[in-house]
Amino acid sequence: MSGFRFPVGRLPDEALLSGLATGDPELAVTFVRRFQHRVFGVAMAVTGDPQLAEDIAQQTFERAWRHAQIYDSRRGSVTTWLTTIAHNLAIDAVRARRTEPVAPEDLDALLGVVTETPERWALADEASSLLRAAVARLPREQARALVMAGVYGMTAQQVADAEKIPLGTAKTRIRAAMQKLRTALASPKRGDHVE
């Protein structure tokens, strides 16, 4: 039994993370048990592959153990930090497996999922929630252009070709979407309205 004043399972997340960093086996097991379903859920939501999601969950806990000392509570909760690690590892795994980029005609389905996924609940980080909400309020053609350029790294010319629109129109859509996001995220009400 550990020398703690109350049961290990009732320790705050930050204390468990500190225990994980020190290598305390009891705290490490408790930490993994507390977050394993959430981390697996995020990985599964992104990959859709149970085996890959298990691998990502394991990598997430390994990375948390190695980098526990850099956790900063001012930037978010342990849950947010851990699920962000899982999310990023899952995205990297999906990108590594993908042999071709997402077809532009599939973007409408992806944009519809941006705000309502299990991953949204796990990644409760305020900044990402605000950004997702602001993107969801953009006109559809601007949101598509923004996602193609910002998420998939397409050039304005590639966006124009994919959308079958003039290059100037693609640039205007991307620029307008970026300006609306800046305005929404900089406003005191944090994006209550995007026009």
Side-chain angles (χ1 to χ4, degrees):
M1 189 84 187
S2 185
F4 295 106
R5 294 185 331 172
F6 52 93
V8 174
R10 296 184 65 197
L11 283 173
D13 295 345
E14 292 82 9
L16 286 179
L17 181 60
S18 295
L20 179 71
T22 64
D24 182 300
E26 185 179 6
L27 294 176
V29 168
T30 304
F31 183 84
V32 170
R33 285 187 179 150
R34 183 173 292 177
F35 295 105
Q36 66 187 1
H37 295 294
R38 185 168 289 150
V39 167
F40 177 79
V42 169
M44 189 65 190
V46 174
T47 65
D49 178 343
Q51 183 60 47
L52 183 57
E54 284 181 26
D55 292 343
I56 289 165
Q58 181 175 351
Q59 291 172 28
T60 300
F61 288 112
E62 288 171 2
R63 189 166 288 183
W65 170 67
R66 284 194 317 268
H67 300 290
Q69 69 279 1
I70 65 167
Y71 166 73
D72 182 358
S73 62
R74 295 172 298 185
R75 298 187 70 199
S77 68
V78 172
T79 302
T80 299
W81 180 71
L82 195 60
T83 55
T84 300
I85 293 170
H87 179 262
N88 291 340
L89 287 170
I91 293 286
D92 290 346
V94 168
R95 284 181 182 156
R97 285 185 166 193
R98 185 172 287 148
T99 56
E100 57 187 65
V102 171
E105 56 271 10
D106 295 335
L107 280 177
D108 283 329
L110 288 174
L111 286 170
V113 173
V114 166
T115 57
E116 296 300 330
T117 65
E119 147 183 66
R120 175 184 182 262
W121 300 107
L123 297 171
D125 179 63
E126 182 182 357
S128 64
S129 297
L130 290 170
L131 181 60
R132 284 188 176 116
V135 169
R137 287 191 298 272
L138 290 172
R140 190 54 121 199
E141 59 278 348
Q142 289 178 5
R144 286 175 57 85
L146 178 71
V147 169
M148 284 187 218
V151 176
Y152 294 105
M154 296 171 74
T155 65
Q157 184 63 58
Q158 290 170 323
V159 171
D161 294 344
E163 296 289 281
K164 298 177 179 47
I165 56 175
L167 176 60
T169 302
K171 288 180 178 180
T172 299
R173 287 179 182 176
I174 295 167
R175 192 171 31 252
M178 289 299 296
Q179 183 57 45
K180 287 177 183 177
L181 286 181
R182 276 189 210 104
T183 301
L185 297 175
S187 72
K189 297 208 183 225
R190 303 294 262 171
D192 282 347
H193 60 281
V194 174
E195 298 182 25

